[in-house]
Amino acid sequence: MKYLIRAIKYFAYLAIFLFLVIFLLSVSGIVGSSLDDIFRDGLQSVWKILGIMAVFAIIYPRLGFGTRNALVPGAYEEIRGGVVDVMHDRGYVLEDEDGENLKFRLRSPVMRLFRMLEDRITFTRTATGFELEGPTKDMVRIVSALEYRFRQE
């Protein structure tokens, strides 16, 4: 279900972005004002573009979100503060804590909006550290920062 919601959000985001670009080009006089002036095949081109955007929207959640493991040695009570500090340095704030599992959200409402409110990173405690779930590009940086901070000499 989460996958479908992310795909729909991404499709809407792409459609709004495309509409705004075409609107700005039309208002500024760079392109004509009718669909036949803007696109070679008129309305038929719009359907093709929407189909391509739908394919991208279906693929994106598979590539843009995932899980990573972070090797963070130590007892939870000893490492919790360091984990929260690392996330704070990355612009995240603790949203929820359930036992030894943590959920973080971006602190900036503007950044949250740009990410379509899909900014949550979930830390699930494992025997060797944490399993992180969330946006792939953020998790790679966060896992690296966590492992650097907690590595044993």
Side-chain angles (χ1 to χ4, degrees):
M1 187 63 168
K2 191 185 300 187
Y3 188 91
L4 179 64
I5 291 170
R6 284 180 177 157
I8 291 170
K9 281 183 181 182
Y10 193 62
F11 179 79
Y13 186 75
L14 287 173
I16 290 169
F17 181 75
L18 178 66
F19 173 77
L20 288 176
V21 168
I22 292 171
F23 177 75
L24 291 175
L25 291 173
S26 180
V27 168
S28 65
I30 296 174
V31 297
S33 59
S34 73
L35 288 177
D36 291 325
D37 294 337
I38 297 171
F39 300 111
R40 180 182 309 185
D41 293 331
L43 186 60
Q44 188 66 25
S45 294
V46 173
W47 292 116
K48 290 176 186 176
I49 292 170
L50 289 175
I52 292 169
M53 288 183 349
V55 169
F56 282 123
I58 290 169
I59 294 171
Y60 175 72
R62 176 73 60 208
L63 302 176
F65 297 89
T67 60
R68 297 278 191 275
N69 288 315
L71 300 174
V72 183
Y76 179 75
E77 296 78 23
E78 298 170 358
I79 62 174
R80 182 196 175 278
V83 170
V84 172
D85 288 343
V86 166
M87 293 302 288
H88 186 268
D89 292 344
R90 299 278 181 266
Y92 284 84
V93 63
L94 182 63
E95 178 188 44
D96 186 32
E97 185 171 6
D98 181 26
E100 294 186 351
N101 300 326
L102 306 167
K103 289 183 183 177
F104 292 91
R105 283 241 156 175
L106 279 173
R107 185 174 38 244
S108 168
V110 174
M111 289 303 297
R112 290 187 68 210
L113 186 61
F114 280 140
R115 296 201 183 175
M116 299 175 287
L117 304 176
E118 291 288 345
D119 61 332
R120 178 180 290 125
I121 296 183
T122 303
F123 284 65
T124 304
R125 187 75 167 137
T126 63
T128 59
F130 290 99
E131 180 182 79
L132 282 69
E133 180 184 352
T136 303
K137 67 180 181 177
D138 291 341
M139 284 192 309
V140 170
R141 294 181 192 128
I142 290 168
V143 166
S144 176
L146 285 170
E147 290 180 349
Y148 178 78
R149 170 125 186 209
F150 292 104
R151 75 174 174 211
Q152 294 178 342
E153 303 278 330

